[in-house]
Amino acid sequence: MPIVQIDFFEGKTVEQKRVLAEKVTKAIAESLNCPETAVSIIMREMKTDNYAKAGRLWCDN
Amino acid sequence: MPIVQIDFFEGKTVEQKRVLAEKVTKAIAESLNCPETAVSIIMREMKTDNYAKAGRLWCDN
Amino acid sequence: MPIVQIDFFEGKTVEQKRVLAEKVTKAIAESLNCPETAVSIIMREMKTDNYAKAGRLWCDN
Amino acid sequence: MPIVQIDFFEGKTVEQKRVLAEKVTKAIAESLNCPETAVSIIMREMKTDNYAKAGRLWCDN
Amino acid sequence: MPIVQIDFFEGKTVEQKRVLAEKVTKAIAESLNCPETAVSIIMREMKTDNYAKAGRLWCDN
Amino acid sequence: MPIVQIDFFEGKTVEQKRVLAEKVTKAIAESLNCPETAVSIIMREMKTDNYAKAGRLWCDN
C-alpha cells in the first residue's frame, strides 16, 4: 500500500517503464508521506482499438 | 469522468468495439446527464481460461 | 461476463443509476452480441477531491 | 457478486488457474457466507516489466 | 504480487473480512505456488444500488 | 490516457491529494512522453480493515 494501476497505450520501452516506476513511486512516497518500499505499481498496456474517448475508438482518430 | 472499464472475452471485431464505444458512451451521457466528450472507456479482452464463474474456468464449460 | 466498472462523481439519484444500468446493459448486449443477463455492472461514486485531470484536483476547478 | 480480480505474473498453467478458481471461490463463499455460484473471478497475467515494487521493475530484480 | 481486488456488498463484519483474508491468501499461495507474504488483498464494499445484474439494480430485486 | 488508479488508506488531507495529483501527473508525463493534460487520476480511500497483506488485515497489525 499504496497500490497503483496505470493504463497506457502499448509501445513503450522497458526503459520508459523503468523511469515511470521510479518517478511515480517517488511522487507518491513524497506526497502521501510513506516509504518508497510500500508502493506497488501495475502497468497495463492497451491497444488503440481498446480505448475510446467521446464515443470514438482511439484507432479511429 | 465518467471512466468505464469493460472486461469481455477476446474475439470481438474492431467494428463491434466501435459500436460498443458509441452505444455505451451515449447510454452513460444520457443517464448521468454529462457530455459524451467526458466519457472514457477502457476495454480489456480476456482468454476463457482467465475467467471463472462458480469455481469453474470458463474454458472448462 | 461482460463485467463493467464505472467511476463517476457522487450525487447521482437511484433513478439515474437505474436508468444507467438499463441503458448500459442494453448497449453492451447489442454490440457484443450477448444476453443482457450476462452483464454485471459495478458503480463507484467518487468525491471531487478524489479525481484529478491534468494534475489538478477536480474540486479545485 | 462477489467479483474478484487477481493480477499475477504470466507463466501459470491452466491447471494452476483451475485450482485457483476452485480454492478462491470456496474461500470467498465460506467467509462471506454466499453461494459459490455467485462468485466471478477475473485473472490478469502480467509480464515482469509491467510490475514495480519500491520503484523498481520486477524484471530488474 | 499477486494483488487481489474483491468487490462485495457492504454489511460484512470485521471478523468475516479477517477470515476472508486468511482463506483467500492461503488459496492463492497454494494454487500459484507463492509465499503467503506476497499476497495483497483490497476489499471494496458496495451499496446495493451500486451494482446491477441483467440491467437491474440489486436493490430493486 | 494514461489513466491512473491509486488505492491508499483514508486519512489524507486535500492538500496531500493536491500534491499527489501534481507530482504523479508530472512523473507520468515525463516518463511516457505525453502531455500532462492527458493524465487522469482516480484516488480510492480505504479503511484499514479493507486491506490485507500476508493473510492479515491491516487493522490487526
Side-chain angles (χ1 to χ4, degrees):
Chain A
M1 263 304 191
I3 293 176
V4 186
Q5 301 174 69
I6 310 181
D7 284 271
F8 51 77
F9 291 124
E10 61 184 9
K12 304 302 181 293
T13 64
V14 175
E15 179 58 20
Q16 281 182 297
K17 296 179 191 177
R18 191 173 283 127
V19 175
L20 178 72
E22 287 169 19
K23 284 184 189 282
V24 169
T25 298
K26 193 163 303 199
I28 289 174
E30 286 173 4
S31 50
L32 297 187
N33 198 25
C34 69
E36 293 194 13
T37 51
V39 180
S40 304
I41 301 176
I42 293 172
M43 305 180 203
R44 302 194 209 278
E45 298 179 89
M46 187 175 301
K47 293 187 296 169
T48 57
D49 61 351
N50 277 337
Y51 179 69
K53 181 75 189 176
R56 194 175 166 81
L57 292 187
W58 200 258
C59 63
D60 288 339
N61 285 332
Chain B
M1 264 306 189
I3 293 176
V4 186
Q5 301 173 70
I6 310 181
D7 284 272
F8 50 79
F9 290 124
E10 60 184 12
K12 305 304 180 288
T13 64
V14 174
E15 180 57 22
Q16 280 182 297
K17 296 179 192 178
R18 190 173 284 128
V19 175
L20 177 72
E22 286 169 18
K23 285 183 188 284
V24 169
T25 298
K26 194 163 301 201
I28 289 173
E30 286 174 5
S31 51
L32 298 187
N33 198 25
C34 69
E36 294 193 13
T37 52
V39 180
S40 304
I41 302 176
I42 293 171
M43 307 180 202
R44 301 193 210 279
E45 299 178 88
M46 186 177 301
K47 293 187 296 170
T48 57
D49 62 351
N50 276 339
Y51 179 70
K53 182 74 190 177
R56 194 175 167 80
L57 292 186
W58 200 258
C59 63
D60 288 340
N61 284 333
Chain C
M1 265 304 188
I3 293 176
V4 187
Q5 301 174 69
I6 310 181
D7 284 90
F8 50 78
F9 290 125
E10 61 184 10
K12 304 304 181 290
T13 64
V14 174
E15 179 58 21
Q16 281 182 296
K17 297 179 191 177
R18 190 173 284 128
V19 176
L20 178 72
E22 287 169 18
K23 284 184 189 284
V24 169
T25 298
K26 192 163 304 199
I28 289 173
E30 286 174 3
S31 50
L32 298 187
N33 197 24
C34 68
E36 293 194 13
T37 52
V39 180
S40 304
I41 302 176
I42 293 172
M43 306 180 202
R44 302 194 209 279
E45 299 178 90
M46 187 176 302
K47 292 187 296 170
T48 57
D49 61 351
N50 276 338
Y51 179 69
K53 182 75 190 177
R56 193 175 167 81
L57 292 186
W58 200 259
C59 63
D60 288 341
N61 284 333
Chain D
M1 265 301 191
I3 293 176
V4 186
Q5 301 174 69
I6 311 182
D7 284 271
F8 51 77
F9 290 125
E10 61 184 11
K12 305 303 180 290
T13 64
V14 174
E15 180 57 22
Q16 280 182 296
K17 296 179 191 178
R18 191 173 284 126
V19 176
L20 177 71
E22 286 169 18
K23 285 184 188 283
V24 169
T25 298
K26 193 163 301 198
I28 289 173
E30 286 174 5
S31 50
L32 297 187
N33 197 26
C34 69
E36 293 195 13
T37 52
V39 180
S40 303
I41 302 177
I42 293 171
M43 307 181 201
R44 300 194 211 279
E45 299 178 88
M46 187 175 301
K47 293 186 296 170
T48 57
D49 61 351
N50 276 338
Y51 179 69
K53 182 75 191 178
R56 195 176 167 79
L57 292 186
W58 200 259
C59 63
D60 288 340
N61 284 333
Chain E
M1 264 307 188
I3 293 176
V4 187
Q5 300 174 69
I6 311 182
D7 284 272
F8 51 78
F9 290 124
E10 61 184 12
K12 306 303 181 288
T13 64
V14 174
E15 180 57 22
Q16 281 182 296
K17 297 179 191 179
R18 191 173 282 127
V19 175
L20 177 72
E22 287 169 16
K23 285 185 189 281
V24 169
T25 298
K26 193 163 303 198
I28 289 173
E30 286 174 4
S31 51
L32 297 187
N33 197 25
C34 69
E36 293 194 13
T37 52
V39 180
S40 304
I41 302 176
I42 293 171
M43 307 180 203
R44 301 194 210 280
E45 299 178 89
M46 186 175 302
K47 293 186 297 170
T48 58
D49 61 351
N50 277 338
Y51 179 70
K53 182 75 191 176
R56 194 175 166 79
L57 292 186
W58 200 258
C59 63
D60 288 340
N61 284 334
Chain F
M1 263 303 187
I3 293 175
V4 186
Q5 300 174 71
I6 311 181
D7 285 270
F8 51 78
F9 290 124
E10 60 184 11
K12 305 303 180 289
T13 63
V14 174
E15 179 57 21
Q16 281 182 296
K17 296 179 191 177
R18 191 172 284 127
V19 176
L20 177 71
E22 287 169 17
K23 284 183 188 283
V24 169
T25 298
K26 194 163 302 198
I28 288 173
E30 286 173 5
S31 51
L32 297 188
N33 197 25
C34 69
E36 294 194 12
T37 52
V39 180
S40 304
I41 302 176
I42 294 171
M43 307 180 200
R44 302 193 210 279
E45 299 178 88
M46 187 176 300
K47 293 187 296 171
T48 57
D49 62 350
N50 276 339
Y51 179 70
K53 182 75 190 176
R56 194 176 167 79
L57 292 186
W58 200 259
C59 63
D60 288 340
N61 284 333

